[in-house]
């Protein structure tokens, strides 16, 4: 007879991919005014709590890309968000094409 040791899983809280507004601003390098502008455009995903807004880690790369585009090409924020959305769509379509090619 083999003895099997079963590890009891701990009740640690699940790690969140959400961060506070301050951490988001720090990690993206955004000025608060730009964050407000992006929120008014409804371009960022966030969770509203009673005390603050919580932002998703996935949006850090999108915001950095937006800032580079706006700075490098002197685009207004609205134009930059459109370009980032189009680049995201292109990337997704390229992933789908690669997936479909593997099926053939």
């Amino acid at each position: 007879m083999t003895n099997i040791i079963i590890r009891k899983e701990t009740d640690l809280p699940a790690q969140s991919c959400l961060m506070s507004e301050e951490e988001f601003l720090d990690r993206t390098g955004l000025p608060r005014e730009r964050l407000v502008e992006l929120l008014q455009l409804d371009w960022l995903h966030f969770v509203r709590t009673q005390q603050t807004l919580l932002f998703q880690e996935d949006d850090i790369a999108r915001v950095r890309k937006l800032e580079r585009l706006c700075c490098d090409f002197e685009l207004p924020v609205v134009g930059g968000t459109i370009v980032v959305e189009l680049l995201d769509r292109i990337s997704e379509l390229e992933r789908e094409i690669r997936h479909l090619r593997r099926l053939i």
Side-chain angles (χ1 to χ4, degrees):
M1 177 178 206
T2 305
N3 290 333
I4 298 175
I5 299 174
I6 300 174
R7 289 178 75 176
K8 181 181 176 192
E9 294 199 26
T10 60
D11 291 332
L12 295 175
Q15 192 171 17
S16 174
C17 61
L18 298 174
M19 68 191 76
S20 69
E21 182 176 331
E22 292 303 319
E23 183 179 358
F24 188 77
L25 289 171
D26 185 52
R27 291 182 63 188
T28 59
L30 275 182
R32 189 171 302 281
E33 298 79 29
R34 179 61 59 101
L35 177 62
V36 170
E37 191 173 3
L38 293 174
L39 292 173
Q40 289 172 341
L41 291 171
D42 199 27
W43 195 70
L44 292 173
H45 307 103
F46 63 90
V47 174
R48 185 181 303 275
T49 68
Q50 290 180 4
Q51 296 87 14
T52 189
L53 300 177
L54 300 175
F55 294 90
Q56 296 184 6
E57 191 164 336
D58 294 345
D59 280 332
I60 292 173
R62 290 177 75 229
V63 166
R64 287 180 179 163
K65 186 186 298 186
L66 172 68
E67 287 298 297
R68 280 192 316 270
L69 284 166
C70 289
C71 182
D72 291 349
F73 297 105
E74 299 178 6
L75 292 173
V77 175
V78 174
T81 59
I82 292 169
V83 172
V84 171
E85 293 292 328
L86 290 172
L87 290 171
D88 289 346
R89 287 182 189 179
I90 290 169
S91 292
E92 185 173 329
L93 289 170
E94 287 173 339
R95 277 192 300 277
E96 287 182 35
I97 289 170
R98 283 192 301 273
H99 173 72
L100 291 172
R101 285 182 177 159
R102 278 186 241 129
L103 294 176
I104 297 176

